[in-house]
Amino acid sequence: AQSVAQPEDQVNVAEGNPLTVKCTYSVSGNPYLFWYVQYPNRGLQFLLKYITGDNLVKGSYGFEAEFNKSQTSFHLKKPSALVSDSALYFCAVCSSGNTGKLIFGQGTTLQVKP
Amino acid sequence: EPEVTQTPSHQVTQMGQEVILRCVPISNHLYFYWYRQILGQKVEFLVSFYNNEISEKSEIFDDQFSVERPDGSNFTLKIRSTKLEDSAMYFCASSDSWSNTGELFFGEGSRLTVL
């Protein structure tokens, strides 16, 4: 069965410092990996995706993520956090043959303090 | 920028009542989805819809649920007889790509409270 794990409920980081939000996955077949962000009282917004190719993918708002097949991980990173990055972040996976059926992790709240 | 819109933003209903949640997907998208998020829990897939029929549905999507695209723009989720455990945020999403490479565009959600 497909699954996604985000081991941290909350990540706290000071503004200007690098941030990492962790995600590991389990899927049969090739994984298609996504990160979404949810601001308070808003829907989910797409940040970035990994389908194939370069293991480091760049997305919106300066975020990037690194696909690591051996560790089955897809951690979200940003070199310098902003207070406005504070939100709920979801990792999601979709395996081949399941179009549109994203399996989400439980979410990680990112708190960036000034 | 085109967006997915959902109405109502919040609906309170009595247990056993029927509820219809409405969504207007992005105009050139062909693939439509409903997800839900119970407070404090994961976002869960409910159903996908393409070419006027359900493509896939989860075990959550039982006989009490139905989806419809009654015209060229709206996509609705109906819950026939609501239960307390149906209380959740319901997200509509759409996509222009029938492949795993296309990201989904989500609406802001409809919060359903069943009393």
Side-chain angles (χ1 to χ4, degrees):
Chain A
Q2 300 170 80
S3 65
V4 176
Q6 294 178 242
E8 302 153 316
D9 289 335
Q10 182 158 328
V11 170
N12 297 309
V13 65
E15 187 175 31
N17 283 0
L19 69 88
T20 299
V21 182
K22 295 180 180 177
C23 171
T24 58
Y25 66 89
S26 174
V27 62
S28 58
N30 293 323
Y32 298 91
L33 297 156
F34 301 80
W35 276 100
Y36 283 82
V37 59
Q38 185 181 28
Y39 296 100
N41 301 313
R42 302 296 299 276
L44 287 82
Q45 295 179 36
F46 170 80
L47 275 180
L48 51 78
K49 65 185 177 187
Y50 171 82
I51 304 298
T52 187
D54 194 347
N55 288 345
L56 184 66
V57 293
K58 295 185 184 297
S60 307
Y61 312 122
F63 283 93
E64 57 190 29
E66 186 167 13
F67 170 65
N68 187 318
K69 188 173 183 178
S70 63
Q71 296 184 6
T72 61
S73 67
F74 189 57
H75 301 331
L76 181 70
K77 300 180 180 183
K78 187 172 182 180
S80 179
L82 300 172
V83 172
S84 57
D85 292 331
S86 299
L88 183 57
Y89 290 80
F90 290 97
C91 182
V93 67
C94 177
S95 71
S96 56
N98 286 320
T99 305
K101 181 182 175 183
L102 295 176
I103 306 299
F104 284 89
Q106 62 268 45
T108 299
T109 298
L110 173 65
Q111 187 73 39
V112 181
K113 297 185 177 176
Chain B
E1 184 175 327
E3 58 182 18
V4 176
T5 57
Q6 291 185 239
T7 55
S9 56
H10 189 194
Q11 181 157 356
V12 181
T13 190
Q14 294 293 322
M15 189 170 57
Q17 295 296 305
E18 176 182 283
V19 162
I20 297 176
L21 305 178
R22 291 181 169 81
C23 169
V24 179
I26 294 172
S27 62
N28 64 336
H29 286 185
L30 299 175
Y31 310 98
F32 314 113
Y33 313 89
W34 284 100
Y35 285 76
R36 80 171 185 189
Q37 184 181 29
I38 294 172
L39 187 64
Q41 297 186 22
K42 294 183 181 185
V43 177
E44 302 172 291
F45 170 81
L46 289 179
V47 65
S48 59
F49 189 88
Y50 169 70
N51 199 25
N52 281 321
E53 60 182 28
I54 290 173
S55 307
E56 187 173 1
K57 61 183 180 179
S58 72
E59 58 188 25
I60 302 169
F61 195 87
D62 61 22
D63 292 344
Q64 294 298 316
F65 290 88
S66 62
V67 289
E68 191 179 31
R69 189 158 161 80
D71 53 41
S73 60
N74 289 287
F75 178 51
T76 62
L77 174 68
K78 181 191 292 185
I79 308 174
R80 186 172 12 201
S81 177
T82 51
K83 303 186 287 287
L84 295 177
E85 54 265 37
D86 293 328
S87 295
M89 181 74 89
Y90 288 82
F91 292 106
C92 175
S94 68
S95 172
D96 64 354
S97 174
W98 186 246
S99 80
N100 302 320
T101 63
E103 64 263 26
L104 303 186
F105 291 80
F106 285 84
E108 294 193 353
S110 292
R111 181 171 298 283
L112 175 64
T113 302
V114 182
L115 302 176

